Amino acid sequence: YYLGAEGGDTRAENRTVTALYNQSAEKVSRLFDDVRDFDGIVSIHTINDSPNTELEIDEVLYEVFSVFSRYNSRYLYAAPIYSRYENLFYCADDSMLFDFDPILNGEIRAEYKNTASYANDPAMIDLKLLGDNKIKLFVSDEYLSYAEKEGITNFIGLCWLKNAFEIDYIADTMIRNGFTHGAISSADGFIRNFDTGSEYYALNVFDDTDDGIFLAASMNYRGERSIVSMRSFPVNDSERRRYYVMQNGEIRTVYLDIFDGLPKSSVNTLISYSEEKSCGEVLLEIKDIYISDSFDESKLSALADKDVFSVYCVNNTVMYNDDGLTFSGLYKDNNKEYTLNMF
């Protein structure tokens, strides 16, 4: 946060911004928690523990569920697959992958696909939005029986999407309280810039090639912006909970296809952003384009009509479709040179 942007006591401003951040971060992390309950709070864990029961939830959580409903996304219901799959990222070596990896283990692949069939069927599970912040998680008797047999306790969850919605809430809280000279980002690729001033920001655009990982360019921007960055590869050790790199160089990511439970990335790097939409909305716009067997540029192009623009890399070229976007630091050495091209 840019303290003192409008004058005044920077120490007092620092205290207020810090308190707002702490309060909003604590609130939203508890609401989205799928492991624990908290006194006086209906969390996602509470909802999972109360299938087929009407509950009144916080308006923040209700709005998140409403976004999924508006986008007809059933990714919430992939939680039971993730509960098993995410153990893969804690494996000490490749020998431990077999119990979690659907690519290495055909039985695990069949298990994930079977669970996905329930997740994608509204007749089996459906989160009912009843109005006035009331919901009911409908789960059929058949799915409840299957869940008991398979040890499934998490019917819904935000999984790797959680931080997109968390930083949306924190940024919106700052804006509502008149603090409009800052930005918030998460380590897993979500950024909300709520700075209405003239400060420029930059985001690194990485590319994974046969020659290694390269910082292809820096993307420059200013003003309010929601940004989602998705990569099929890690760039530092802090990302170990989202990627597993095997000894043979193969990489497993958090990006699972909800229909078959397999990790997929249609392109190495995809960065999408909007001035009007939230991070959660941008993510739901591009998720199925990225988590796919094949990359469809035309679908990205069509999103420009919805104020969602994108950047991706292919063949040593940084592709982009916003004519107002600028770049700096294009990579160049004796063996490789990146260029820019609009699509």
Side-chain angles (χ1 to χ4, degrees), residues 2 4 23 27 35 147 149-150 199 209 272 276 284 306 315-316 322 340:
Y2 181 10
Q23 292 164 8
K27 174 180 178 176
V35 177
K149 183 179 70 173
E150 297 295 328
E199 296 293 317
T209 73
S272 297
E276 303 295 330
L284 293 180
K306 299 181 179 181
N315 298 327
N316 299 333
D322 178 1
L340 299 172

Side-chain angles (χ1 to χ4, degrees), residues 286-304:
I286 68 168
K287 174 178 58 59
D288 293 337
I289 298 173
Y290 185 81
I291 306 175
S292 175
D293 291 309
S294 58
F295 178 62
D296 190 339
E297 185 186 89
S298 65
K299 291 182 178 179
L300 277 186
S301 297
L303 289 180

Side-chain angles (χ1 to χ4, degrees), residues 119-176:
N120 284 289
D121 187 351
M124 292 292 110
I125 182 169
D126 199 36
L127 185 67
K128 308 290 187 181
L129 301 177
L130 307 177
D132 296 324
N133 298 325
K134 295 177 181 178
I135 59 100
K136 179 187 286 189
L137 178 61
F138 163 75
V139 185
S140 70
D141 290 341
E142 180 182 339
Y143 192 9
L144 286 172
S145 177
Y146 173 78
E148 184 176 4
K149 183 179 70 173
E150 297 295 328
I152 292 172
T153 56
N154 281 7
F155 293 103
I156 64 169
L158 293 175
C159 309
W160 60 270
L161 300 79
K162 180 168 65 173
N163 279 340
F165 294 94
E166 287 201 3
I167 69 169
D168 277 336
Y169 175 69
I170 295 170
D172 290 341
T173 298
M174 293 295 176
I175 294 169
R176 281 197 307 272

Side-chain angles (χ1 to χ4, degrees), residues 7-64:
D9 186 343
T10 58
R11 288 177 297 179
E13 189 176 41
N14 184 30
R15 287 193 296 269
T16 305
V17 169
T18 300
L20 273 175
Y21 172 81
N22 289 337
Q23 292 164 8
S24 56
E26 179 180 27
K27 174 180 178 176
V28 77
S29 66
R30 289 184 173 188
L31 289 174
F32 295 171
D33 199 305
D34 59 8
V35 177
R36 296 169 294 173
D37 286 327
F38 303 90
D39 290 341
I41 294 176
V42 178
S43 66
I44 288 179
H45 181 264
T46 313
I47 298 169
N48 280 321
D49 270 359
S50 311
N52 301 309
T53 303
E54 184 176 311
L55 297 170
E56 184 172 348
I57 62 175
D58 190 281
E59 61 183 359
V60 174
L61 189 53
Y62 193 89
E63 174 57 26
V64 170

Side-chain angles (χ1 to χ4, degrees), residues 264-335:
K264 297 176 183 177
S265 301
S266 63
V267 66
N268 285 334
T269 295
L270 176 59
I271 300 170
S272 297
Y273 57 91
S274 173
E275 294 183 11
E276 303 295 330
K277 296 182 183 297
S278 67
C279 271
E281 290 171 325
V282 172
L283 177 56
L284 293 180
E285 290 279 12
I286 68 168
K287 174 178 58 59
D288 293 337
I289 298 173
Y290 185 81
I291 306 175
S292 175
D293 291 309
S294 58
F295 178 62
D296 190 339
E297 185 186 89
S298 65
K299 291 182 178 179
L300 277 186
S301 297
L303 289 180
D305 293 334
K306 299 181 179 181
D307 187 52
V308 177
F309 299 91
S310 299
V311 176
Y312 72 94
C313 294
V314 61
N315 298 327
N316 299 333
T317 304
V318 178
M319 307 290 294
Y320 66 106
N321 66 336
D322 178 1
D323 57 12
L325 189 64
T326 63
F327 294 86
S328 58
L330 276 170
Y331 184 88
K332 180 180 180 180
D333 65 15
N334 293 332
N335 301 312

Side-chain angles (χ1 to χ4, degrees), residues 70-303:
R70 290 199 298 271
Y71 281 88
N72 296 313
S73 174
R74 294 190 60 80
Y75 219 82
L76 278 173
Y77 309 111
I81 301 175
Y82 272 100
S83 293
R84 179 74 175 271
Y85 177 76
E86 66 183 2
N87 289 290
L88 180 150
F89 301 109
Y90 296 90
C91 291
D93 56 62
D94 293 2
S95 65
M96 301 174 66
L97 298 178
F98 196 71
D99 289 337
F100 316 111
D101 191 340
I103 296 177
L104 294 178
N105 188 334
E107 290 185 7
I108 295 296
R109 183 162 60 251
E111 176 190 322
Y112 288 0
K113 189 170 184 179
N114 195 31
T115 302
S117 69
Y118 285 96
N120 284 289
D121 187 351
M124 292 292 110
I125 182 169
D126 199 36
L127 185 67
K128 308 290 187 181
L129 301 177
L130 307 177
D132 296 324
N133 298 325
K134 295 177 181 178
I135 59 100
K136 179 187 286 189
L137 178 61
F138 163 75
V139 185
S140 70
D141 290 341
E142 180 182 339
Y143 192 9
L144 286 172
S145 177
Y146 173 78
E148 184 176 4
K149 183 179 70 173
E150 297 295 328
I152 292 172
T153 56
N154 281 7
F155 293 103
I156 64 169
L158 293 175
C159 309
W160 60 270
L161 300 79
K162 180 168 65 173
N163 279 340
F165 294 94
E166 287 201 3
I167 69 169
D168 277 336
Y169 175 69
I170 295 170
D172 290 341
T173 298
M174 293 295 176
I175 294 169
R176 281 197 307 272
N177 284 274
F179 295 97
T180 56
H181 295 283
I184 179 170
S185 62
S186 66
D188 48 357
F190 305 117
I191 301 170
R192 269 290 299 273
N193 192 52
F194 53 97
D195 191 339
T196 58
S198 58
E199 296 293 317
Y200 266 100
Y201 293 76
L203 178 64
N204 289 332
V205 181
F206 291 96
D207 187 25
D208 189 14
T209 73
D210 292 338
D211 302 318
I213 296 172
F214 291 86
L215 174 52
S218 291
M219 170 185 132
N220 305 314
Y221 61 95
R222 66 178 174 182
E224 292 185 272
R225 197 83 46 114
S226 299
I227 304 174
V228 175
S229 176
M230 303 172 76
R231 282 187 276 104
S232 63
F233 56 95
V235 295
N236 57 59
D237 289 340
S238 69
E239 299 180 307
R240 291 178 60 185
R241 291 190 180 183
R242 295 188 294 128
Y243 301 93
Y244 183 94
V245 182
M246 300 174 64
Q247 288 184 339
N248 64 5
E250 289 183 29
I251 300 175
R252 300 293 186 261
T253 74
V254 295
Y255 307 122
L256 295 185
D257 187 326
I258 190 177
F259 294 105
D260 58 19
L262 295 175
K264 297 176 183 177
S265 301
S266 63
V267 66
N268 285 334
T269 295
L270 176 59
I271 300 170
S272 297
Y273 57 91
S274 173
E275 294 183 11
E276 303 295 330
K277 296 182 183 297
S278 67
C279 271
E281 290 171 325
V282 172
L283 177 56
L284 293 180
E285 290 279 12
I286 68 168
K287 174 178 58 59
D288 293 337
I289 298 173
Y290 185 81
I291 306 175
S292 175
D293 291 309
S294 58
F295 178 62
D296 190 339
E297 185 186 89
S298 65
K299 291 182 178 179
L300 277 186
S301 297
L303 289 180

